[in-house]
Amino acid sequence: MKRNGVCLLTAGLAISALLVGLGGCSKNTGNMDQKKEIRIGVFLYKGDDAFISMLQESIQEEARKYEQETGVEVTLNILDAKGSQNTQCSQVERQLALGCDALCVNIVDRFAASVVIDKAMAANTPVIFFNREPVEEDLKRWEKLYYVGVDAKETAVLQGQILVDAYQKNPFSLDRNEDGRVSYVLLEGETSHQDSLIRTEWSIQTVKDGGVPLQKLTGGIANWERSQASALMEQWIETYGEQIEVVICNNDEMALGALDAIERAGILDGAVKLVGIDGTPGGVEALKNGKLLGTVEADRRKYASAIFEIASALSRSGEKEKLPESPYCWCPQRVLVHE
């Protein structure tokens, strides 16, 4: 299906198998307790992250819809840790002291989740982690702990397949100097973020398995940020120039940063192929304009719905039939490509 220059492709993996528990996240307003007001703390690792900002807005939309459907007043206390785990822990303490019914936590440091869990368990307040996955051992500590996210390996495989499909359709669309190799640079997210590591590994592996003769020129950590990616890409253009044929990015913001540097260098649109992840508004706009080859978009409405529905069910009654069977709730993704 095409829309405004963007082709929407259904994920080729068994997404239905990944949607563990999403059916259990659907609203069930029958037999609810009599509580008419709930307070939910939403903790963001960085509020200016493009994807997190979109997700926050979608959670707020879900809360407004829930109020209209149930008559229950929802207070969302949204707090930005600005990349500091110490700040986030202090924010959690404050919200627990104010009597939050549930915590939705986009953890800064996944290895610090146990600290948040300790505080929540002491207050008997459930926690829904999202986007940044705690280690499995932490999530198993208590029955009132959940994680909502996307499967990082699936994301990476879908991104890699964008390049495989392009190469199979026309090898010279990627190998523009026709030397028999596709020379690429790699922009990675945070070194401590599991999704960054998985996206890097499986995206590259998928491209190789698809028969694309890859040659890595260089790579670097840009911490999901557009400005850092732009600075790195500028250096690489100075060093490698026209050798760069493909830029593989762990997210759309870094792809846009690379694009900024490419445009400053006066390189023609489409001469260097860029692929991203997230399907942010900026990424989709660049895709429509033919400046990005493709991206992988999470269904942020279902993502936000799963987060909020678990939190609201736990806040009002905690009845098991309203909750996923598994502590993991995986949300669907799709590929967007320019044609």
Side-chain angles (χ1 to χ4, degrees):
M1 178 173 62
K2 295 181 183 177
R3 187 181 67 217
N4 297 325
V6 179
C7 182
L8 311 182
L9 302 182
T10 302
L13 300 183
I15 290 179
S16 59
L18 292 170
L19 294 178
V20 179
L22 273 177
C25 294
S26 60
K27 289 184 176 64
N28 180 351
T29 57
N31 193 32
M32 299 186 78
D33 61 27
Q34 299 304 307
K35 194 170 187 179
K36 291 301 180 183
E37 180 180 0
I38 58 175
R39 181 184 297 269
I40 298 172
V42 181
F43 304 86
L44 311 178
Y45 100 99
K46 274 188 182 179
D48 60 1
D49 179 288
F51 180 75
I52 295 302
S53 177
M54 286 195 311
L55 199 54
Q56 171 198 320
E57 291 173 2
S58 295
I59 292 171
Q60 290 173 302
E61 290 172 6
E62 288 296 319
R64 287 193 290 269
K65 184 168 67 173
Y66 181 83
E67 285 183 321
Q68 293 171 356
E69 291 176 352
T70 65
V72 176
E73 183 180 348
V74 179
T75 299
L76 291 182
N77 295 327
I78 299 174
L79 299 156
D80 182 359
K82 300 184 185 300
S84 168
Q85 186 59 61
N86 287 336
T87 297
Q88 191 171 72
C89 286
S90 297
Q91 292 170 340
V92 167
E93 286 182 354
R94 174 63 176 161
Q95 292 305 307
L96 288 172
L98 291 173
C100 259
D101 296 298
L103 309 179
C104 300
V105 182
N106 173 218
I107 196 81
V108 175
D109 179 358
R110 67 189 296 247
F111 298 107
S114 60
V115 178
V116 172
I117 292 169
D118 286 342
K119 297 178 189 301
M121 289 177 69
N124 195 31
T125 302
V127 184
I128 302 90
F129 292 98
F130 65 94
N131 178 253
R132 298 161 76 88
E133 183 182 347
V135 296
E136 186 177 1
E137 291 76 10
D138 282 337
L139 211 62
K140 288 181 175 179
R141 289 180 56 195
W142 191 32
E143 63 181 8
K144 295 183 181 181
L145 301 175
Y146 292 85
Y147 176 72
V148 179
V150 295
D151 183 272
K153 180 179 176 181
E154 181 195 36
T155 307
V157 170
L158 291 173
Q159 184 190 53
Q161 194 62 43
I162 294 171
L163 293 172
V164 172
D165 291 346
Y167 187 80
Q168 290 178 345
K169 185 176 181 180
N170 178 11
F172 301 126
S173 67
L174 303 186
D175 179 19
R176 61 190 174 107
N177 62 11
E178 302 184 17
D179 66 352
R181 296 172 297 182
V182 175
S183 300
Y184 75 97
V185 296
L186 177 68
L187 285 163
E188 301 181 66
E190 299 167 70
T191 54
S192 61
H193 197 300
Q194 81 282 0
D195 280 11
S196 179
L197 302 174
I198 295 170
R199 288 176 186 183
T200 295
E201 177 185 357
W202 284 100
S203 180
I204 300 302
Q205 189 61 51
T206 299
V207 179
K208 290 179 177 177
D209 290 347
V212 181
L214 282 181
Q215 178 187 40
K216 183 177 180 180
L217 297 175
T218 189
I221 305 296
N223 294 303
W224 311 115
E225 294 187 8
R226 183 168 182 164
S227 60
Q228 291 187 35
S230 181
L232 281 175
M233 191 66 196
E234 189 170 314
Q235 295 172 19
W236 297 342
I237 290 171
E238 291 177 2
T239 302
Y240 298 100
E242 293 186 359
Q243 294 180 63
I244 301 173
E245 296 171 317
V246 170
V247 187
I248 300 174
C249 309
N250 282 171
N251 76 342
D252 283 353
E253 280 297 285
M254 292 189 295
L256 293 173
L259 180 60
D260 291 339
I262 288 169
E263 291 183 335
R264 285 197 302 270
I267 299 171
L268 295 176
D269 287 350
V272 177
K273 302 301 184 185
L274 297 100
V275 287
I277 289 170
D278 283 342
T280 63
V284 172
E285 184 65 25
L287 198 66
K288 291 177 182 177
N289 295 331
K291 296 181 178 183
L292 258 63
L293 174 62
T295 187
V296 181
E297 179 186 55
D299 188 328
R300 64 178 180 273
R301 288 180 178 82
K302 288 185 179 179
Y303 203 142
S305 178
I307 294 167
F308 183 78
E309 287 177 1
I310 295 172
S312 59
L314 290 165
S315 295
R316 293 204 69 194
S317 63
E319 295 178 5
K320 289 185 178 180
E321 63 267 22
K322 300 174 187 175
L323 299 169
E325 295 180 4
S326 165
Y328 290 92
C329 215
W330 301 114
C331 299
Q333 306 177 80
R334 63 178 180 174
V335 166
L336 307 181
V337 294
H338 178 77
E339 288 207 348

